[in-house]
Amino acid sequence: MPCSGSGSSKSPSEEPALTGYWKSECYELGKTASHGMVVLQIQDDGTFSRIHYTFNNATCSGDAEGANTYDGTITLGTVVAESPLTQEFHSFISCTDRYSTLKVQNSTLFIANGPDDGTTEELRQTDFADADKYTPITEAELPALPAPVKVAPTLCLQ
């Protein structure tokens, strides 16, 4: 099922399309001084990427220290409500199936994963109280990554 548009009867200017880039809030990475942020890229063809950025500051601003990208697929399911758009979906990423529910409201994408991260359809969550929150960003707003360090190997024989 294609992912374009919000699937609701609202005009496109009221809520962003589901496709594109969505960023999470900045969060602390365990016991390190680093912080992280997740960016989802959802494509029209049902593929998506989850990019985990790490930063050396508490605001996740400026250039990122590094990033890991995980690619997968998303299949939209039953529309639970039209306004705000609330829809079930199934994702597959890094050998993991997830059954989740999304809601797009006030230019925010909420993803409720449920117990065990929604590992079965029966465990799909519809309560958005503890949902992951993402806001839309453009490709130009993606964090820059430092240029890779080039190392020229040398051989020293004694």
Side-chain angles (χ1 to χ4, degrees):
M1 178 178 282
C3 294
S4 62
S6 67
S8 71
S9 58
K10 292 182 175 185
S11 71
S13 62
E14 289 185 44
E15 292 292 353
L18 186 57
T19 55
Y21 294 95
W22 296 86
K23 73 172 185 169
S24 73
E25 298 171 340
C26 188
Y27 56 89
E28 194 172 350
L29 292 174
K31 297 179 181 184
T32 69
S34 296
H35 285 71
M37 174 178 73
V38 173
V39 172
L40 301 177
Q41 179 187 15
I42 303 173
Q43 311 255 349
D44 281 326
D45 64 0
T47 58
F48 81 104
S49 296
R50 179 183 294 134
I51 309 159
H52 294 264
Y53 289 96
T54 55
F55 295 85
N56 63 1
N57 61 64
T59 59
C60 295
S61 58
D63 292 353
E65 288 183 319
N68 293 314
T69 302
Y70 305 92
D71 297 319
T73 58
I74 183 171
T75 305
L76 296 177
T78 303
V79 173
V80 178
E82 286 287 334
S83 183
L85 172 66
T86 306
Q87 189 166 11
E88 296 177 344
F89 72 95
H90 169 252
S91 62
F92 181 78
I93 192 166
S94 300
C95 302
T96 304
D97 280 307
R98 283 200 176 160
Y99 296 88
S100 307
T101 307
L102 64 84
K103 175 171 67 171
V104 180
Q105 184 176 25
N106 299 326
S107 296
T108 302
L109 171 64
F110 298 89
I111 298 179
N113 289 315
D116 295 327
D117 287 331
T119 51
T120 66
E121 207 161 350
E122 295 76 28
L123 293 175
R124 185 188 315 267
Q125 183 62 268
T126 56
D127 177 9
F128 291 94
D130 295 320
D132 297 331
K133 298 173 188 160
Y134 299 87
T135 53
I137 62 169
T138 65
E139 187 171 3
E141 296 172 299
L142 292 174
L145 292 170
V149 177
K150 294 182 181 181
V151 178
T154 59
L155 179 61
C156 182
L157 298 175
Q158 293 184 344

